Amino acid sequence: MNCRRHILFVMLLTLLPMLSSAQNHVRRAMERARERQEAMARMQVDSDRGESGGPGKMQMLVENGDTTFLDRLPAVYIFSRGRRSTEKNWRDYYRLVWRFARVYPYAQASGKLVKQVDSTLNAENYGFIRKDRYISALQKQLFKDFESSFRDMSIQQGAVLMKLVGRETGITPYEIIKNYKSGVAAGFWQGIATLFDNNLKAPYDPEGADRQLEELVQAWQRGEFPALYWSVFWEDPPTVVIPEKYL
């Protein structure tokens, strides 16, 4: 088996990136800390301008002698910690929000890609050899389009992405590999996933283990995720660029 030819297809559909480095983690953490400090500094500057009557001065509406001050405030989420919440629970939640923002667009693209592949294979009634050639050509294109993006993903991001692919496709990552490649390939990648405490056979569970992840998906679909992300990190969520042909 030529692992280089197969690795990106598996990474996109099972979404279990295996490449990460401590240096990248430290660099990203430092960048996030600096960006947060800059955001807080900008907020302070805007506040100072408003108080001094400068460019940040609020608008006024006068009606029948009554003055109403007008301003536009960003939407925010208010989180209730509850009695049983711990700092670890909140740190885990913040990490989940951070990872979700960076991987969900890929999960959406993978769901559409699986439907497209299924439609093509069913319409053309491919035999084994034609199917293998089609999948191999697709893998080559995916490697070209997504390699640079996936190389910087952490294992934890890959695990979240794997769960979201299960949601978007309706089948487990293990079944995806088995259907498009072979049972042998599925078993191989299941073994690799196990080394990183992941399970390609685990179904998406929106009512149980994946409840918080499902809440983030629902917030995304309602258009509320940017406000939620800002409430947590005081900055806009990252922009994930997906090639137009996968949208």
Side-chain angles (χ1 to χ4, degrees):
M1 178 185 297
N2 186 330
C3 289
R4 182 176 176 83
R5 289 176 56 203
H6 297 325
I7 189 170
L8 186 69
F9 188 70
V10 173
M11 282 175 12
L12 183 66
L13 298 183
T14 69
L15 302 167
L16 185 66
M18 300 299 173
L19 300 176
S20 63
S21 68
Q23 182 177 5
N24 284 339
H25 287 305
V26 173
R27 174 177 55 79
R28 287 196 292 266
M30 294 178 64
E31 289 176 352
R32 292 197 301 274
R34 184 176 65 254
E35 290 171 356
R36 183 175 299 182
Q37 290 178 346
E38 292 174 351
M40 294 179 66
R42 289 194 298 269
M43 292 176 64
Q44 183 62 49
V45 170
D46 292 341
S47 177
D48 293 343
R49 287 177 174 175
E51 294 175 358
S52 62
K57 184 177 179 180
M58 297 175 64
Q59 296 181 352
M60 294 185 298
L61 176 63
V62 180
E63 292 182 330
N64 300 323
D66 291 330
T67 301
T68 303
F69 292 93
L70 306 177
D71 197 5
R72 177 176 297 177
L73 301 176
V76 295
Y77 273 65
I78 305 299
F79 299 99
S80 174
R81 289 179 177 266
R83 293 182 179 179
R84 299 183 181 180
S85 296
T86 65
E87 289 301 323
K88 182 181 183 304
N89 293 146
W90 282 99
R91 287 196 300 271
D92 290 343
Y93 181 73
Y94 295 159
R95 292 189 184 104
L96 180 64
V97 174
W98 190 88
R99 292 164 185 160
F100 175 87
R102 286 154 177 79
V103 302
Y104 187 52
Y106 294 112
Q108 291 178 305
S110 70
K112 295 177 181 179
L113 180 62
V114 166
K115 293 178 181 179
Q116 176 187 336
V117 172
D118 284 343
S119 177
T120 300
L121 293 177
N122 292 333
E124 300 295 335
N125 194 24
Y126 283 3
F128 177 81
I129 295 179
R130 288 189 65 197
K131 175 183 176 181
D132 185 65
R133 290 176 178 173
Y134 170 71
I135 296 298
S136 296
L138 179 60
Q139 290 172 193
K140 183 177 180 180
Q141 185 61 47
L142 292 173
F143 194 91
K144 177 181 178 181
D145 292 337
F146 292 98
E147 178 187 15
S148 60
S149 299
F150 284 164
R151 283 195 181 280
D152 288 334
M153 277 191 187
S154 68
I155 294 171
Q156 292 78 12
Q157 284 177 264
V160 173
L161 198 47
M162 180 180 68
K163 283 287 190 177
L164 292 169
V165 166
R167 182 191 188 281
E168 296 299 312
T169 62
I171 58 178
T172 66
Y174 182 89
E175 293 172 313
I176 293 175
I177 304 174
K178 183 178 179 181
N179 292 344
Y180 293 113
K181 298 305 298 180
S182 67
V184 174
F188 170 78
W189 287 106
Q190 170 67 2
I192 297 296
T194 301
L195 295 177
F196 295 92
D197 296 326
N198 286 304
N199 181 10
L200 302 183
K201 296 181 180 181
Y204 185 77
D205 184 9
E207 301 295 332
D210 303 311
R211 179 179 56 82
Q212 287 187 328
L213 201 55
E214 180 63 21
E215 290 174 355
L216 295 180
V217 172
Q218 296 300 324
W220 182 291
Q221 295 179 348
R222 293 192 301 267
E224 299 174 359
F225 183 77
L228 188 155
Y229 191 92
W230 178 272
S231 300
V232 174
F233 297 106
W234 289 18
E235 61 186 21
D236 292 326
T239 300
V240 179
V241 180
I242 303 293
E244 186 175 353
K245 58 187 172 183
Y246 297 108
L247 300 177

